[in-house]
Amino acid sequence: MVQKKHFPLLLWVIAIFLHSSVVRAQNGAMVYLTDFGLKDGAVAAMKGVAFGVSPKLKQFDLTHEIPPFNIWEGAYRLQQTLPYWPAGTVFIVVVDPGVGSDRLPVVAKTKAGHYIVTPDNGTLTLVADGVGIDSLRQIDETINRLPGSGDSYTFHGRDVFAYTAARLAAGVIQFQQVGNDLPPTPKRLPYQKAVLDGDKIRGNIPVLDPQYGNIWTNIPVSLLKNWGINDNDRLEVEISDGKRLVYKGMVPYGNTFSDVPEGKPVAYVNSLLNLSFGINMGNFAATHKVSSGSGWTISIRKLRS
């Protein structure tokens, strides 16, 4: 039983513990992902808002070269990068063709302890299916909005998202102070998940390797191993844009591009440990007019020897 004279000391210990927990919850790092480009001052304005909240914040860029309005690619680049950042990092994801509309501004907390400040328009799709969403809150703009910005309706990246993210990252507010609690089920974009379907594996082409034109799928190496794939297996590959068959061909499975002669296609596992397709010293996407997105699908089947 704790005596009354020990209450002040006990309360002090509890306060120190709670303060240290807050410090651990947000680590002061902010990571930006937008489709703004760097031709004007939009990104610098967002960072200036954050700096105004706290000059101690550490601000990083994921990319600002998402194709304009391409929510799907924003969702992909987020899930591609987020797992490599420590818990407590705050991501600002602004690919927002519906800015000023009734789409909700939200902050998501992942099951791994990251925070994502974003419009709820599908940008959370792949994170939700990957690390998972623990909880979701709607940003209360009466509290968490840049003072004096109420007459601006087209730059929520600066006025709402950067401001809220900075306050959260700096510990000015806690997650519970963002706004009202929402069900942890953000809006999702439809796409083909990687599945074994009879003698085929079906999946999606979420993105291309932009420098070399390699085709990256969402089919993980673990599924390939369970399927029993081996080096030099021949794969029958079919790629569709959702409306028509774009490519059909036979591709050998190997470890790297030089496993096939120059100019020939090869299936391999990329740096994210997903099945991919390339051409040795060539560009698979340009050669076969293949693109990527939520509607692009792929199926593979092993050919008998």
Side-chain angles (χ1 to χ4, degrees):
M1 182 175 179
V2 180
Q3 297 179 6
K4 288 184 179 180
K5 66 180 181 179
H6 295 304
F7 277 179
L9 177 60
L10 180 61
L11 292 175
W12 180 80
V13 171
I14 291 173
I16 293 295
F17 173 77
L18 291 175
H19 176 72
S20 64
S21 297
V22 166
V23 172
R24 288 196 298 271
Q26 291 100 249
N27 61 21
M30 299 174 63
V31 180
Y32 293 82
L33 187 163
T34 78
D35 62 348
F36 294 166
L38 295 173
K39 296 183 179 68
D40 64 10
V43 173
M46 293 172 69
K47 291 185 176 181
V49 166
F51 188 83
V53 171
S54 172
K56 295 181 179 180
L57 290 171
K58 301 177 288 290
Q59 303 189 57
F60 304 91
D61 297 304
L62 195 164
T63 182
H64 299 289
E65 301 303 326
I66 298 297
F69 319 125
N70 194 327
I71 297 169
W72 171 262
E73 187 156 333
Y76 180 83
R77 296 302 178 192
L78 175 63
Q79 69 89 26
Q80 175 189 8
T81 309
L82 179 141
Y84 298 97
W85 286 82
T89 302
V90 177
F91 288 79
I92 308 96
V93 181
V94 188
V95 183
D96 193 15
V99 61
S101 69
D102 59 357
R103 60 93 186 97
L104 296 181
V106 299
V107 180
K109 183 179 181 181
T110 74
K111 292 182 177 179
H114 307 90
Y115 299 92
I116 306 167
V117 185
T118 186
D120 185 23
N121 59 7
T123 55
L124 295 169
T125 298
L126 298 175
V127 166
D129 288 341
V131 299
I133 301 298
D134 175 77
S135 46
L136 190 70
R137 288 185 176 271
Q138 181 178 350
I139 296 173
D140 182 351
E141 295 184 36
T142 65
I143 302 170
N144 296 306
R145 183 181 178 120
L146 180 67
S149 67
D151 290 333
S152 173
Y153 297 96
T154 59
F155 198 179
H156 286 179
R158 175 195 65 195
D159 301 334
V160 178
F161 299 120
Y163 184 69
T164 301
R167 283 161 58 82
L168 184 61
V172 175
I173 60 170
Q174 299 308 306
F175 181 60
Q176 293 77 10
Q177 295 170 287
V178 165
N180 290 335
D181 193 30
L182 297 171
T185 52
K187 181 178 180 180
R188 301 196 189 197
L189 303 174
Y191 70 99
Q192 173 65 61
K193 296 182 179 180
V195 295
L196 179 61
D197 182 11
D199 64 345
K200 293 183 178 182
I201 294 179
R202 302 187 187 277
N204 166 249
I205 301 175
V207 74
L208 304 178
D209 179 345
Q211 185 69 12
Y212 302 107
N214 300 321
I215 306 300
W216 285 16
T217 81
N218 66 339
I219 299 171
V221 65
S222 57
L223 184 55
L224 296 175
K225 289 181 177 179
N226 290 339
W227 194 41
I229 197 167
N230 297 297
D231 289 350
N232 300 316
D233 277 348
R234 296 183 305 143
L235 304 179
E236 181 184 71
V237 180
E238 295 184 351
I239 297 174
S240 170
D241 66 0
K243 297 179 180 179
R244 61 188 178 88
L245 183 66
V246 175
Y247 170 83
K248 183 175 182 178
M250 188 282 293
V251 181
Y253 180 76
N255 292 313
T256 188
F257 307 103
S258 59
D259 287 348
V260 297
E262 187 171 320
K264 296 297 183 180
V266 63
Y268 67 99
V269 173
N270 68 13
S271 60
L272 299 179
L273 302 183
N274 291 327
L275 180 65
S276 299
F277 296 86
I279 293 176
N280 186 13
M281 301 295 290
N283 186 311
F284 195 109
T287 300
H288 299 294
K289 296 180 174 54
V290 173
S291 189
S292 62
S294 59
W296 281 81
T297 61
I298 186 168
S299 71
I300 58 171
R301 181 173 67 88
K302 285 187 290 185
L303 296 176
R304 296 181 183 276
S305 301

